């Protein structure tokens, strides 16, 4: 008769102690997505590179799509820090918005991530809608805040689409400074309070 206690089962899901943070997993995943692309990167490969159980990734991100979304959101949030963009002189806000978008999209690694088709496009839509638009509405305040923020995000979304995602010849050949000069008047108009009508 074997009285030896059974070996403890390997814990699954959320580990105890001090496991690698979400941020460290996102960092490892970003490197693999850049190296292999979305389709050839597996959750097992990310888990192995991060030194964690694959169940931990499922716990934090639900799926590969969720992990990729976090990688993209982190990249957006790092480059387009809403607090930094919205802080400072309101008169120069249009320029800061354009600079944030062009700085992000001129980054070669970010452009490689955005080449992942539908997955990347969905993340960008969600970021514009739930992060930038929502924060702009809060920042602008007042009865016309949603309309003004929507106009701003529409202009920036148009910039992203016509310059980076599906480039038109003219916008794509402009330098970032030329893009800035071309779009600042439109953004300034979008940000301005609407005159009250009778």
């Amino acid at each position: 008769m074997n009285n030896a206690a059974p070996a403890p089962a390997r814990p699954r899901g959320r580990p105890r102690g001090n496991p690698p943070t979400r941020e460290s997993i996102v960092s490892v995943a970003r490197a693999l997505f850049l190296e292999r692309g979305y389709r050839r990167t597996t959750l097992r490969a990310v888990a192995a590179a991060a030194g964690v159980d694959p169940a931990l990734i499922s716990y934090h991100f639900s799926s590969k799509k969720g992990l990729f979304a976090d990688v993209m959101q982190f990249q957006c949030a790092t480059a387009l820090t809403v607090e930094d963009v919205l802080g400072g002189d309101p008169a120069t806000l249009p320029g800061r918005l354009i600079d944030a978008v062009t700085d992000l999209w001129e980054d070669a690694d970010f452009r490689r991530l955005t080449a992942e088709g539908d997955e990347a496009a969905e993340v960008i839509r969600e970021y514009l809608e739930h992060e930038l638009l929502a924060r702009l509405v809060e920042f602008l305040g007042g009865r016309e805040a949603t309309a003004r923020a929507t106009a701003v995000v529409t202009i920036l979304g148009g910039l992203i689409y016509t310059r980076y995602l599906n480039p038109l010849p003219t916008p794509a050949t402009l330098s970032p400074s030329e893009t800035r000069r071309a779009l600042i008047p439109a953004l300034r108009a979008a940000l301005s309070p609407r005159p009250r009508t009778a």
Side-chain angles (χ1 to χ4, degrees):
M1 182 173 175
N2 185 0
N3 291 326
R10 183 179 181 186
R12 297 187 63 78
R14 187 176 189 175
R16 296 175 183 169
N18 188 24
T21 62
R22 282 177 63 103
E23 291 77 12
S24 65
I25 295 171
V26 166
S27 177
V28 168
R30 177 181 178 276
L32 285 178
F33 283 132
L34 286 170
E35 178 187 337
R36 302 179 182 182
Y38 178 81
R39 284 162 188 80
R40 293 194 300 120
T41 298
T42 65
L43 291 184
R44 286 190 177 281
V46 174
V52 300
D53 190 299
L56 179 64
I57 297 179
S58 296
Y59 172 82
H60 279 307
F61 307 100
S62 299
S63 64
K64 182 167 79 166
K65 185 176 179 182
L67 176 58
F68 182 74
D70 262 53
V71 169
M72 291 284 290
Q73 294 276 7
F74 179 77
Q75 188 92 356
C76 288
T78 300
L80 209 163
T81 307
V82 175
E83 289 79 6
D84 292 346
V85 173
L86 297 182
D89 184 356
T92 57
L93 176 58
R96 290 197 303 277
L97 285 165
I98 294 169
D99 289 346
V101 170
T102 55
D103 287 352
L104 174 64
W105 283 83
E106 296 293 328
D107 179 78
D109 285 348
F110 185 73
R111 295 281 290 279
R112 284 168 61 197
L113 289 172
T114 61
E116 298 299 337
D118 292 343
E119 290 80 9
E122 184 176 338
V123 174
I124 293 162
R125 282 195 301 271
E126 288 179 359
Y127 187 83
L128 290 173
E129 174 77 18
H130 300 297
E131 181 65 19
L132 186 57
L133 178 61
R135 296 296 297 277
L136 273 171
V137 171
E138 181 184 348
F139 172 79
L140 294 170
R143 62 186 182 87
E144 295 288 344
T146 299
R148 292 160 64 198
T150 299
V152 169
V153 171
T154 300
I155 293 166
L156 296 176
L159 167 62
I160 291 168
Y161 185 78
T162 60
R163 183 175 171 83
Y164 301 107
L165 291 180
N166 192 19
L168 296 178
T170 301
T173 58
L174 296 177
S175 69
S177 61
E178 289 170 332
T179 300
R180 200 174 192 272
R181 284 197 300 275
L183 292 183
I184 278 179
L187 278 176
R188 188 169 287 131
L191 287 163
S192 298
R194 306 312 196 247
R196 289 185 177 272
T197 56

